[in-house]
Amino acid sequence: MSSVIHHPLVTEKAMDEMDFENKLQFIVDIDAAKPEIADAVAAQFDVGVESVRTQITPQGTKKATVELGEDSDAQEVASRIGVF
């Protein structure tokens, strides 16, 4: 992926958020700030980003939940990057 985005997170909760809330989840660099994550997702996947929420997981990695804009489809992006 990129130096900011390591890989998509594929869990049952992530799939529900993708289907019903137009959100994608990624494991990102631990030092990445929200604006950096938003810019990386927008540039890499050619989508509009509404918001970014981050969380440090118990494993010590950083998870980012990215809400896409109305004109972007999370399912379409997920299929392009090979989640399905």
Side-chain angles (χ1 to χ4, degrees), residues 22-52:
N22 204 32
K23 295 180 181 179
L24 294 171
Q25 290 186 0
F26 298 96
I27 298 298
V28 297
D29 185 73
I30 194 80
D31 296 324
K34 290 178 182 182
E36 291 176 308
I37 296 167
D39 291 344
V41 170
Q44 190 165 352
F45 304 116
D46 193 30
V47 294
V49 175
E50 289 291 316
S51 67
V52 176

Side-chain angles (χ1 to χ4, degrees), residues 1 8 10 76-84:
M1 296 257 148
V10 183
E76 190 268 329
V77 173
S79 67
R80 276 193 291 163
I81 60 176
V83 171
F84 295 127

